[in-house]
Amino acid sequence: MALKIWVDGKLLEKSEAKVSVYDHGLLYGDGIFEGIRVYNGSIFECDAHLRRLWDSAKAIRLTIPVTQSEFRSAMEQTIKANGFTDCYIRAVVTRGVGNLGISPEKCPRPTMIIIADTIELYPPAVYEKGMAVITASVTRNHPNMLSARIKSLNYLNNILAKIEALDAGVPEAVMLNHNGNVAECTADNLFIVRDGQVATPLPTEDILQGITRGVILKLCGRLGIPLVEKVLQRHDLYVADEFFLTGTGAEVIPVTKIDGRVVGNGQVGPITKRLIETYHKHVRGQE
Ligand code: PMP
């Protein structure tokens, strides 16, 4: 059965779900989005995703033309129309259709899109064995240029870093911020473990404040795993005992190599393993 996509209040066949070539989301990357997972038929961390979508909209001076609860219902309707119990949702709100100038004033109505589909970002083997990453030469956007905390349709900063990773033959890259501190990976937040303590960069280090990151922080608290949000330098990654990434699509992925250096003993570490197991139980309400 062909997928049904929600566009501006209507459920359309995938082949019919299209946006105008004058949409400023396409012409200028003027818009925002969310990536959300559905587990066992319920939208995981729905409130947190809606809050971040609305925060992103506010930050770019875009008014989403429905309420949060209407948007939630639209997502539920889309999941149901496609018969999913487990899926990935891509929610997009663009500035809408305008003319060929960049001015948002010429875009009277935002375009809203909800796609429910499946997603597999990395091969299953990396979850067992760990992944290799590099540090990208491209710097994470300066916060006065475009805050990394806005989940915007401008992903070229991340895409350029991703291309560096692919050129180096690895799936992911660590991005440093303008101060040279560790920010995040191209589509995931990062964590290290050193001497039994979990550490992750602060939200003010030019990262997207990931929903999965937030869940991991909460789970560390519950499991009694010592945790700190602090400035990390590349050196901290090089000498870490364990290293893992988090994201809605990727979930929790161990990293076992960075810039050719082996992380810890090269195996997926015990705290990472415990958090992966706990995360999977948590998302299904089994913990
Ligand atoms: N950082 C970036 C740049 C991202 O695009 C994402 C989302 N894929 C994340 C971090 C992780 O955020 P979340 O856990 O909310 O998916």
Side-chain angles (χ1 to χ4, degrees), residues 117-135:
D117 205 340
T118 52
I119 190 169
E120 188 190 293
L121 292 180
Y122 301 106
V126 300
Y127 290 88
E128 301 287 323
K129 296 199 169 69
M131 177 160 92
V133 300
I134 56 153
T135 311

Side-chain angles (χ1 to χ4, degrees), residues 216-226 271 274-279 287:
I216 290 292
L217 295 180
K218 206 163 62 184
L219 294 179
C220 283
R222 266 193 221 165
L223 295 170
I225 300 171
I271 293 181
R274 196 167 167 217
L275 285 170
I276 291 175
E277 277 166 24
T278 311
Y279 184 78
E287 157 294 337

Side-chain angles (χ1 to χ4, degrees), residues 37 154 176 195:
R37 272 203 189 254
N154 276 268
L176 307 178
D195 296 334

